[in-house]
Amino acid sequence: MKTKTLTAIVYREDDLYVAECPEVGTVDQGETIEEAIANLKEATKLYLEECPLPDDISPRFVTSIEVDYAEIA
């Protein structure tokens, strides 16, 4: 069994949390952040059992940026 460290991006959409793994393209959801991540882990595991990733893939670096912009009315 292999273990890989991958990225999970979690955000709120309506009344659910959505979790995405950008390296694989899997997406899942849950009523809590923990549930969304657990569901994403299961979906990603099932995906990787059918479509393995190359060994040289590395996790993404996720950060925040602040952008100033003008609103046009």
Side-chain angles (χ1 to χ4, degrees):
M1 181 170 290
K2 286 183 151 184
T3 300
K4 279 205 175 291
T5 300
L6 300 169
T7 307
I9 300 170
V10 182
Y11 56 92
R12 185 126 176 124
E13 191 170 281
D14 297 324
D15 59 342
L16 294 173
Y17 288 94
V18 178
E20 300 181 22
C21 177
E23 293 92 347
V24 178
T26 49
V27 178
D28 217 313
Q29 62 188 18
E31 292 183 5
T32 65
I33 292 172
E34 294 80 10
E35 182 181 0
I37 291 172
N39 292 343
L40 178 65
K41 287 171 87 171
E42 180 66 18
T44 303
K45 175 187 172 193
L46 294 171
Y47 179 87
L48 290 175
E49 287 174 352
E50 294 293 321
C51 305
L53 289 176
D55 287 332
D56 61 350
I57 193 163
S58 62
R60 305 301 194 253
F61 177 72
V62 179
T63 188
S64 298
I65 62 170
E66 187 173 299
V67 179
D68 293 324
Y69 64 97
E71 288 188 50
I72 300 175

